[in-house]
Amino acid sequence: MQRRIAVFIGALMLCCGTASATDGYFSHGYGMKAKGRGGASAAVVAEAFGGANNPATMVMAGNQLDVGLDAFNPERSAERSGLGPGLDGSVDSGRSYFAIPEFAYNRMLRDNLALGVTVYGNGGMNTDYPGGQFNCGQGAANMLCGSGALGVDLTQLIVAPTLSYAITPNQSIGIAPLLTFQRFSAKGLQAFAGIPGLSAQPDKVSNNGHDDSRGVGVRVGYYARISPAFAVGAAYAGKTHMSRFSEYAGLFAGRGSFDIPENYSLGVAWTPSAPLTVALDYQRINYGDVASVGQHSLVPAQLGADNGPGFGWKNINVWKLGLEYASSERWTWRAGFNHCDEPIGSADVTFNILAPGVVTNHLTLGFTYTTRAGGEWTVAYMHAFERSVQGASILPVFMGGAPAGNERISMHENSLGIAYAWKL
């Protein structure tokens, strides 16, 4: 069994591509059951994804192995008007389907101690706009005046060993080191490299292939079953400091720095009657505290400088409400709603053509079927309702003018996932 787990984790590390852009660029939930509940998980003991949700719940979850795959479909578009022929137009991002695997394992060492591991895609950004529809004065170009296709590809994979200890039969604590790997590439941004003085390192802005980054963080958690009908949970993960993307040191603030933001969750779960559970989580994601993500697009500094331009994302609040109803010993049904603040403001639309994480409202549905052998098949569906953000284009600023015209970025999403859990 241990050998199979090691092989599976290795496969995930090689193939795990993410394109999530639901709660900002974080996923709306981790683990297929949580995804069916709108992501609510801080105070629910149901699966082995404590490394991504709340490590303290693992000692209450028992022995299990979860393997799943999510088919994720983001639809993204951008349009510009008011700048005149050659600069006005619209494009849709290609590459709209992604397979996102997930894996979790938990083993009870003693009645009050559990050890496990969660492997998951934290989130990501991926766009791929075709080139050639625009003309910025030097022939065919993409929407940001570069040559060829335009887009970015960010993947974040986290391996989280978990240790959970029951202080009492109804209270537990947990810790999960976050062993983090990320990859990034950008293409079609040659215009930003070509404007004299815009970037601190013009040769490290675009079309340098994929670059890797690594870091180590930690998530800690607390869980308490206050009564048979009521439980609470909390989890905290500080900012994960990542090594720099050296091949994009002229693009990201801090010479290629792209840390993972601090985030924390508080949750309650209420079971008014045995078949029904209501779960509510509050999550805070502090995107604005990461310079390359939170700095505004028009700060008076060079791209890649310590105080250089970023995507202008704000810190956001996320609310996750989930319902779970067991209609029989074999069937459990789920529904949820997830709402987050809009991270992107109108002044930063131009840069966020690359990363249009603008959706804020998500509806989820799901179910679990328990087999006669005790295994569980779980299915989860998510729909993120279409949303747009618009504002003046900052392209004229690079030519010595002021923001002008209008740009709009839009997105909606669907995902459908399936997982199987072995109760060991």
Side-chain angles (χ1 to χ4, degrees):
M1 176 61 72
Q2 285 78 8
R3 179 178 176 84
R4 293 178 183 177
I5 292 171
V7 170
F8 192 82
I9 291 176
L12 278 177
M13 295 185 71
L14 291 173
C15 76
C16 184
T18 61
S20 297
T22 51
D23 295 335
Y25 72 74
F26 280 28
S27 175
H28 71 287
Y30 301 96
M32 217 59 70
K33 292 179 182 178
K35 288 179 179 180
R37 292 191 302 270
S41 56
V44 180
V45 178
E47 51 197 340
F49 283 87
N53 297 319
N54 182 357
T57 60
M58 291 299 87
V59 74
M60 307 292 181
N63 298 322
Q64 58 178 299
L65 172 66
D66 295 82
V67 177
L69 187 68
D70 214 5
F72 182 62
N73 169 224
E75 298 288 350
R76 298 138 297 168
S77 63
E79 60 181 278
R80 182 187 298 123
S81 61
L83 293 187
L87 292 174
D88 291 349
S90 63
V91 288
D92 296 326
S93 175
R95 199 174 175 223
S96 296
Y97 293 93
F98 302 85
I100 304 174
E102 61 181 29
F103 169 88
Y105 173 72
N106 191 60
R107 169 65 67 179
M108 300 298 297
L109 302 180
R110 300 198 302 263
D111 289 344
N112 64 347
L113 186 65
L115 179 67
V117 63
T118 304
V119 184
Y120 63 101
N122 184 59
M125 299 181 287
N126 183 289
T127 47
D128 187 9
Y129 300 104
Q133 303 94 327
F134 299 84
N135 189 325
C136 304
Q138 297 180 339
N142 60 45
M143 195 174 193
L144 292 182
C145 298
S147 60
L150 169 70
V152 295
D153 183 20
L154 172 69
T155 294
Q156 292 179 340
L157 176 69
I158 297 179
V159 178
T162 59
L163 185 67
S164 180
Y165 174 71
I167 306 168
T168 72
N170 293 314
Q171 290 188 79
S172 58
I173 56 176
I175 186 169
L178 307 175
L179 313 178
T180 305
F181 170 84
Q182 55 183 9
R183 300 185 73 203
F184 177 79
S185 68
K187 60 186 179 183
L189 298 174
Q190 298 93 340
F192 291 171
I195 299 174
L198 182 60
S199 172
Q201 298 187 57
D203 61 331
K204 301 294 185 180
V205 172
S206 185
N207 293 78
N208 289 332
H210 280 91
D211 197 7
D212 299 338
S213 171
R214 293 168 176 81
V216 179
V218 65
R219 189 184 312 278
V220 295
Y222 171 77
Y223 171 83
R225 188 182 298 116
I226 296 174
S227 72
F230 193 72
V232 298
Y236 172 81
K239 182 191 292 187
T240 300
H241 295 277
M242 304 295 296
S243 61
R244 291 184 173 93
F245 288 121
S246 59
E247 292 300 320
Y248 294 94
L251 176 64
F252 287 136
R255 304 183 307 282
S257 176
F258 202 94
D259 295 334
I260 296 177
E262 172 191 51
N263 58 95
Y264 56 86
S265 300
L266 303 171
V268 296
W270 177 47
T271 306
S273 61
L276 177 65
T277 297
V278 181
L280 176 66
D281 281 11
Y282 164 76
Q283 183 181 31
R284 175 79 169 183
I285 308 174
N286 290 328
Y287 290 117
D289 296 342
V290 176
S292 52
V293 180
Q295 291 274 60
H296 288 292
S297 307
L298 286 180
V299 296
Q302 292 179 301
L303 285 168
D306 287 343
N307 58 343
F311 290 94
W313 283 30
K314 308 166 189 173
N315 298 338
I316 66 169
N317 302 304
V318 185
W319 292 93
K320 306 177 181 184
L321 175 64
L323 303 177
E324 191 168 277
Y325 182 79
S327 62
S328 69
E329 291 184 356
R330 301 221 181 272
W331 292 96
T332 300
W333 307 92
R334 299 181 184 88
F337 185 77
N338 175 305
H339 171 77
C340 67
D341 297 336
E342 176 57 70
I344 299 170
S346 60
D348 295 291
V349 168
T350 300
F351 272 19
N352 281 286
I353 290 170
L354 296 170
V358 296
V359 294
T360 58
N361 292 318
H362 316 74
L363 176 68
T364 66
L365 298 169
F367 67 85
T368 293
Y369 172 73
T370 303
T371 69
R372 294 185 182 279
E376 295 177 342
W377 287 102
T378 298
V379 173
Y381 168 75
M382 182 275 294
H383 175 72
F385 295 90
E386 183 166 7
R387 182 175 172 85
S388 301
V389 174
Q390 60 184 346
S393 173
I394 66 172
L395 284 184
V397 175
F398 304 137
M399 305 170 191
N406 185 73
E407 288 173 335
R408 177 194 297 266
I409 51 178
S410 304
M411 179 163 63
H412 67 273
E413 300 170 330
N414 290 281
S415 70
L416 180 64
I418 186 169
Y420 188 78
W422 290 265
K423 301 297 183 178
L424 305 175

